Amino acid sequence: MNILIMGPAGVGKGTVSQSIVETFHVAHISTGDMFRNAIKNNTQLGMEAKSYMEKGLLVPDEITINMTKERIMQDDCAEGYLLDGFPRTLAQAAAFEDIAKETNRPIDVVIDLTISIDQLAERIVNREICKNCGEIYNTVSKPSAVKGICDKCGSPLVHRADDNLESLQVRLSEYDKLTAPVIDYFDAKGLVIKVNAGQSREAVWADVKQALEKFVND
Ligand SMILES: [Zn+2]
C-alpha cells in the first residue's frame, strides 16, 4: 500500500505518520530526510540539491522528483511507502504520475488531515518548545510540570515568535492555496480520505487506521 499524507504544519502529521509506519510496515519517505541522506551519501542529485540549498534557493522540482523516484524504487518500498512532504503542488503531483508509471509504484491512497483555523490556533499559539531537547508542550493541553521548564531535561521552554494567530493564518492560507489543487487532483481519481485532525490524538489515529485497514481489505 502506497500512501501520501497531507496536512498543514501543526496538524499532527508526524505522530500519525509514525503510527502508520509502525502499524502498516511501510517505508517512511519524508522529503527532508530524503534530501539529508542524498547529500550525506554524495549522490549526484544530492550534490545538485545541495548547490541550491547552499545559496538559499528552493530546490527545483525536477531534482526533487528524480530523487523521489530513486527513493521509491529502493527495496524497502516494495511492500509500500508513506510519502510525506511531496508532492506539494499540482505540477509535482502531475510529475509524480509519470514516476508512478515508470516505477509501477503509484500512490494508492491519500490521507488528508484537515483542521479548522481555530483548532490549529489553539494548538500552535499555546505551543512551547524546549530549546535543548526539542520536546513540545502546550500550555493548555500538555503543560510542563514546572511552568516554562522542560520535564525531560530541565531547560527553559520558548514560544516561537511566529507561532501567533496572524502568521498562522498566513501559513494556513498559503498551504491551502498550494495544496487544494493537489487534493483535487487525487480526489478526481477517488484516492482521497479526509480525516478530521481536530479531534484527540487517539480519535485521529482510530480514523486513519480504520480507513487504511478498509483499503487493505478491499
Ligand atoms: Zn528538554
Side-chain angles (χ1 to χ4, degrees), residues 31-103:
T31 332
D33 290 345
M34 189 173 73
F35 277 123
R36 275 188 288 278
N37 285 330
I39 291 169
K40 198 177 73 189
N41 297 327
N42 284 318
T43 71
Q44 178 64 35
L45 290 167
M47 291 303 97
E48 286 177 36
K50 194 180 168 191
S51 72
Y52 286 92
M53 288 156 92
E54 279 176 347
K55 291 175 200 143
L57 298 171
L58 276 178
V59 177
D61 274 0
E62 203 196 334
I63 294 177
T64 311
I65 289 159
N66 284 323
M67 213 183 269
T68 309
K69 184 179 165 189
E70 280 187 357
R71 182 65 190 89
I72 66 169
M73 284 168 70
Q74 287 171 15
D75 290 346
D76 66 337
C77 293
E79 297 301 313
Y81 58 77
L82 172 68
L83 203 50
D84 175 0
F86 177 88
R88 251 188 199 148
T89 65
L90 185 56
Q92 292 175 346
F96 193 86
E97 187 85 322
D98 297 331
I99 300 183
K101 278 190 197 125
E102 287 170 40
T103 59

Side-chain angles (χ1 to χ4, degrees), residues 17-217:
S17 294
Q18 205 182 343
S19 301
I20 290 176
V21 168
E22 283 165 10
T23 307
F24 294 95
H25 311 292
V26 290
H28 189 193
I29 308 176
S30 96
T31 332
D33 290 345
M34 189 173 73
F35 277 123
R36 275 188 288 278
N37 285 330
I39 291 169
K40 198 177 73 189
N41 297 327
N42 284 318
T43 71
Q44 178 64 35
L45 290 167
M47 291 303 97
E48 286 177 36
K50 194 180 168 191
S51 72
Y52 286 92
M53 288 156 92
E54 279 176 347
K55 291 175 200 143
L57 298 171
L58 276 178
V59 177
D61 274 0
E62 203 196 334
I63 294 177
T64 311
I65 289 159
N66 284 323
M67 213 183 269
T68 309
K69 184 179 165 189
E70 280 187 357
R71 182 65 190 89
I72 66 169
M73 284 168 70
Q74 287 171 15
D75 290 346
D76 66 337
C77 293
E79 297 301 313
Y81 58 77
L82 172 68
L83 203 50
D84 175 0
F86 177 88
R88 251 188 199 148
T89 65
L90 185 56
Q92 292 175 346
F96 193 86
E97 187 85 322
D98 297 331
I99 300 183
K101 278 190 197 125
E102 287 170 40
T103 59
N104 205 19
R105 290 184 178 172
I107 290 168
D108 298 312
V109 59
V110 178
I111 297 291
D112 182 24
L113 299 174
T114 61
I115 191 164
S116 72
I117 178 85
D118 292 344
Q119 284 171 319
L120 193 58
E122 199 178 288
R123 289 186 193 176
I124 297 211
V125 174
N126 300 325
R127 185 161 67 176
E128 288 181 332
I129 299 173
C130 173
K131 259 164 89 173
N132 181 45
C133 74
E135 186 73 5
I136 296 171
Y137 297 88
N138 184 294
T139 53
V140 177
S141 60
K142 191 197 167 195
S144 54
V146 180
K147 194 176 183 299
I149 301 292
C150 179
D151 293 349
K152 285 202 170 161
C153 71
S155 298
L157 301 177
V158 292
H159 179 80
R160 270 176 45 177
D162 60 349
D163 279 351
N164 61 55
L165 195 56
E166 270 165 45
S167 39
L168 182 64
Q169 274 162 340
V170 172
R171 290 211 300 261
L172 200 60
S173 89
E174 275 172 2
Y175 171 82
D176 281 339
K177 205 163 38 176
L178 213 58
T179 58
V182 179
I183 301 288
D184 290 347
Y185 176 86
F186 288 111
D187 206 22
K189 299 172 189 290
L191 303 184
V192 178
I193 298 169
K194 290 195 183 293
V195 172
N196 172 13
Q199 316 172 79
S200 71
R201 194 179 277 207
E202 294 75 20
V204 173
W205 172 237
D207 283 0
V208 171
K209 188 163 174 259
Q210 192 186 31
L212 294 177
E213 276 169 350
K214 186 172 179 297
F215 181 87
V216 171
N217 294 327

